[in-house]
Amino acid sequence: MAQQIADRRDQDFVLHEMLNVAQLSETEKFGDFNKKTIDMVLTEARKFAVNEILPTQKTGDEEGVKLENGQVKVPPSFHKPYKLFCENEWVAMADDPAVGGQGLPHTVSIACGELFTGANCAFLMYPGLTHGCGLIVATLGSDKQKELYLKKLYSGEWGGTMCLTEANAGTDVGALESIATPNDDGTYNIVGNKIFISGGDSDLVPNVIHPVLARIEGSPSGTRGISLFIVPKFWVNDDGSIGEDNDVVITGVEHKMGIHGNATCSIAFGSKGKCRGTLIGEKNKGMKAMFLMMNEARQGVAMQGHGFATTSYMNAVNYAKERIQSPNLLSMLEAEPKAVPIIQHPDVRRNLLIMKSYVDGMRSLLYFMGFCFDMVHTAEDEAIVDKYNGLIEIITPVAKSYGTDKGFEVCSLGIQVYGGYGFIEEYPQAQLLRDCKITAIYEGTNGVQGMDLLGRKLGMKKGKPMMDLMGEIQATIAQAKEAGLEDMAAKVEAALNKVGECAMAIGGAAMSEKILDAFGSATLFQECCGDLIMGWMHLWRAAVAQPKIEKAKKKDKAFYTGQVVTAKFFIEHMLPIGLGKMDAVKGLTGSIMEMPEDAFIG
């Protein structure tokens, strides 16, 4: 039977042959998770994703959400899988069992998350955002806040959101107008309006907990005066029971291009003057809390882009193997040439190979990020912890932006492989493209990710995270040379050196009078880093697979050969395009800022 959402053999390859994730069982934290246990967890996740979540993808898109008498109604098909999702403890897979988690290695939770996201991203956003809210409570909450909220969130019994955006304060969070006024009992009255709040309400849960950014009266303007508050839809009593209505009103749900099954809400807090919240974290330190939320969200959005892509790719491969049309070019001169599956046609195969190269490369990158988290949590040497924290920081903006841009490209190619059928809503590809587009926009547009990479991450700790990343790539180059892949290794090494030159050029310009020109090329620099990292991931894959081809069984021989050929395709056919982008970054064009504003009118 054809697979539908992700290639299990490839998941196993990344987990066990690239990352050797079972080595984590040698640590005290993950002692229960040997290879057999990890495989069992992944098998159960796949069964649940295919049997329970995937059937809701189309129905959820068609049914959408409704706002009735102030209550959001999610697609009816979501209720059963959500209940089972919570009962099976999938909400907090990598968190402490003492607070409702499974305690899985982060790498394994990423692999499970790929399956759930690929099955139906709109559905997964409800528990995903709930987990993000729980992470804030777990990290910044007082003992009382943890007692009241954490288990309810990590179990999925209650829902959670992130309430940052306002009509006049999107990317510029410091412009927000929501106000918090202190009460005598230590709570705060909250007044303000938020928009674009994913999962802002639902009938899946009896209560929704909102982390809300607001400014305490008298605090400084801009980002220096922002604080974070926990604001429940219904007040939570000291004994943990649900109390009175907390004046949190859903004023509308957005009608969107995609992810129709997830409620994107506008919310009024305190329109009747009766909304209360409690400060979480330090006063005026809401931006620090926001980045805690945003980093997990950005990594999650990278997975969303990948999830849409991997499902579109699997659909396209299955379709291309079954769709019979036109003769093979080599038989065109025969008297009566027979039509063949379209996967035999060179341009279709080219499209599939582009899709495969991005899907496989992003899977490796996302799992590697998960492994970095596991190293942070298990390493005893502070230098190692610092190194892997730095790798997470430098990779996050690239994974979010590159993963979602290329995810959208893969979904577009997925339609192309289907031809006219791909453009028809009866088939699955159109929805995946519609749903994927938002990933390049929310949790910081991809342009913002480029600014983050250039403005914050590149020079972080005097450039150490960037140097550590380049060191990891150099180690893979050495491994590939030992495996007899000298030509591919040399090409990746050339790209590595050129990205280093780009970093010096654009980083220097960002600290000079050419700062605007530098940031005008920040997105392109980010793409260059993404191209390099994809080349690195494919070289790593090939270096692992190449020595195993000769002794492999027939099925594995094809798989390992496919790893090497995919790497060859990306490094020889796709990476040279990246080298051209690198030349453009080094050139640091001034045309972007030279363009007169009036000239855009035409």
Side-chain angles (χ1 to χ4, degrees):
M1 181 179 177
Q3 297 185 78
Q4 296 171 280
I5 49 180
D7 183 349
R8 174 61 189 265
R9 179 65 182 88
D10 199 72
Q11 287 189 302
D12 289 341
F13 175 75
V14 179
L15 287 172
H16 299 307
E17 299 179 66
M18 287 183 70
L19 298 173
N20 186 23
V21 71
Q23 68 182 286
L24 295 170
S25 66
E26 298 171 8
T27 67
E28 182 178 352
K29 183 176 179 64
F30 299 121
D32 294 335
F33 294 98
N34 57 24
K35 183 179 184 299
K36 182 178 180 180
T37 304
I38 290 168
D39 289 345
M40 181 185 70
V41 170
L42 199 59
T43 296
E44 291 305 310
R46 176 175 290 273
K47 287 179 183 177
F48 188 82
V50 171
N51 296 333
E52 301 295 342
I53 302 178
L54 187 60
T56 70
Q57 188 175 80
K58 185 172 178 59
T59 58
D61 181 64
E62 293 172 342
E63 294 164 351
V65 299
K66 298 178 177 65
L67 180 59
E68 298 177 355
N69 300 317
Q71 170 71 61
V72 169
K73 306 286 188 180
V74 306
S77 59
F78 283 14
H79 282 266
K80 179 190 173 188
Y82 183 81
K83 182 175 182 292
L84 293 173
F85 194 87
C86 296
E87 288 177 354
N88 293 331
E89 299 181 338
W90 292 118
V91 177
M93 290 180 277
D95 297 282
D96 191 336
V99 292
Q102 289 195 47
L104 290 174
H106 203 88
T107 318
V108 181
S109 74
I110 291 289
C112 295
E114 177 187 7
L115 296 165
F116 300 145
T117 306
N120 187 352
C121 177
F123 167 84
L124 192 66
M125 287 174 72
Y126 292 106
L129 287 158
T130 296
H131 180 269
C133 179
L135 178 65
I136 295 166
V137 174
T139 308
L140 300 174
S142 65
D143 290 342
K144 186 62 177 179
Q145 287 169 328
K146 292 176 183 177
E147 177 189 337
L148 291 178
Y149 300 115
L150 193 52
K151 282 191 176 181
K152 297 288 181 67
L153 289 167
Y154 274 175
S155 68
E157 181 179 342
W158 292 350
T161 69
M162 294 193 308
C163 290
L164 316 180
T165 306
E166 299 181 9
N168 295 317
T171 302
D172 183 10
V173 178
L176 63 78
E177 298 175 353
S178 295
I179 295 295
T181 307
N183 297 316
D184 293 338
D185 62 357
T187 64
Y188 289 78
N189 281 345
I190 308 293
V191 177
N193 295 280
K194 301 291 183 178
I195 63 170
F196 299 161
I197 307 305
S198 298
D201 192 41
S202 83
D203 57 348
L204 293 169
V205 291
N207 205 2
V208 180
I209 311 305
H210 302 284
V212 178
L213 286 180
R215 194 183 315 280
I216 298 173
E217 284 187 320
S219 290
S221 60
T223 56
R224 293 183 302 116
I226 295 174
S227 298
L228 183 66
F229 301 87
I230 292 294
V231 183
K233 176 182 177 180
F234 294 101
W235 190 250
V236 179
N237 298 319
D238 283 345
D239 63 359
S241 62
I242 295 177
E244 71 271 16
D245 182 282
N246 196 34
D247 194 10
V248 176
V249 179
I250 306 300
T251 57
V253 291
E254 301 295 341
H255 300 279
K256 303 164 296 187
M257 175 179 172
I259 55 169
H260 294 149
N262 191 265
T264 304
C265 301
S266 51
I267 308 178
F269 294 92
S271 58
K272 301 172 185 175
K274 298 181 179 180
C275 180
R276 291 182 293 163
T278 56
L279 180 69
I280 184 166
E282 298 178 58
K283 179 180 177 181
N284 297 337
K285 299 293 185 181
M287 284 298 290
K288 178 180 179 182
M290 187 199 77
F291 277 109
L292 176 69
M293 291 186 280
M294 291 297 287
N295 277 336
E296 179 177 70
R298 287 171 177 175
Q299 293 150 14
V301 171
M303 177 55 79
Q304 289 180 355
H306 173 68
F308 292 125
T310 187
T311 302
S312 183
Y313 168 63
M314 298 299 285
N315 290 341
V317 169
N318 294 334
Y319 182 82
K321 288 181 177 181
E322 297 171 358
R323 172 66 166 157
I324 308 297
Q325 184 168 286
S326 302
N328 187 301
L329 287 176
L330 297 178
S331 64
M332 290 291 286
L333 298 180
E334 295 178 3
E336 295 184 5
K338 293 183 179 180
V340 296
I342 62 173
I343 197 170
Q344 294 186 22
H345 302 318
D347 192 61
V348 173
R349 187 168 291 212
R350 179 187 67 88
N351 286 336
L352 290 173
L353 201 43
I354 292 172
M355 296 172 77
K356 175 177 168 57
S357 66
Y358 285 133
V359 165
D360 289 359
M362 278 305 300
R363 177 176 294 119
S364 292
L365 176 59
L366 291 169
Y367 288 21
F368 174 74
M369 285 184 70
F371 187 75
C372 288
F373 277 101
D374 289 327
M375 293 303 293
V376 168
H377 294 146
T378 59
E380 297 179 359
D381 187 334
E382 282 302 313
I384 295 176
V385 171
D386 182 68
K387 170 189 172 180
Y388 283 100
N389 268 324
L391 288 172
I392 292 167
E393 289 283 355
I394 197 80
I395 290 173
T396 292
V398 179
K400 193 278 182 185
S401 57
Y402 196 88
T404 57
D405 282 340
K406 298 310 178 185
F408 187 76
E409 183 178 333
V410 168
C411 289
S412 179
L413 289 172
I415 290 177
Q416 196 73 17
V417 171
Y418 272 65
Y421 292 111
F423 197 65
I424 296 172
E425 292 286 352
E426 181 181 347
Y427 292 82
Q429 302 297 71
Q431 181 190 340
L432 293 169
L433 184 75
R434 287 189 286 103
D435 286 354
C436 188
K437 181 54 198 169
I438 187 60
T439 61
I441 300 171
Y442 59 14
E443 311 308 345
T445 66
N446 287 356
V448 168
Q449 306 306 314
M451 294 174 68
D452 180 45
L453 178 64
L454 175 58
R456 292 182 63 243
K457 303 299 176 62
L458 190 60
M460 180 180 286
K461 296 183 179 179
K462 299 181 179 180
K464 185 178 183 300
M466 186 65 175
M467 294 303 296
D468 284 338
L469 174 62
M470 298 178 86
E472 290 289 312
I473 298 172
Q474 194 64 61
T476 299
I477 290 169
Q479 180 185 357
K481 289 178 179 178
E482 291 179 5
L485 302 172
E486 292 87 353
D487 186 56
M488 282 195 278
K491 288 179 169 63
V492 173
E493 190 166 29
L496 174 65
N497 293 334
K498 191 169 263 191
V499 165
E501 295 168 7
C502 289
M504 293 293 290
I506 197 170
M511 294 184 289
S512 73
E513 71 281 357
K514 293 186 177 182
I515 181 172
L516 295 181
D517 293 335
F519 278 92
S521 294
T523 294
L524 194 59
F525 173 64
Q526 171 184 272
E527 290 178 12
C528 295
C529 292
D531 289 333
L532 169 64
I533 289 172
M534 284 298 99
W536 167 37
M537 288 296 151
H538 281 294
L539 187 65
W540 187 356
R541 284 170 159 266
V544 171
Q546 177 66 32
K548 299 182 178 183
I549 293 175
E550 185 176 346
K551 296 182 180 180
K553 296 178 182 178
K554 182 178 180 181
K555 188 174 181 179
D556 276 342
K557 189 182 292 289
F559 175 82
Y560 290 131
T561 301
Q563 299 306 310
V564 177
V565 174
T566 304
K568 180 181 179 182
F569 172 80
F570 187 87
I571 292 168
E572 293 183 353
H573 189 78
M574 305 296 290
L575 190 56
I577 301 171
L579 296 175
K581 296 177 194 173
M582 295 171 201
D583 287 334
V585 170
K586 287 174 63 180
L588 205 70
T589 181
S591 60
I592 296 170
M593 300 312 301
E594 290 169 5
M595 182 70 171
E597 287 186 29
D598 289 347
F600 284 106
I601 297 173

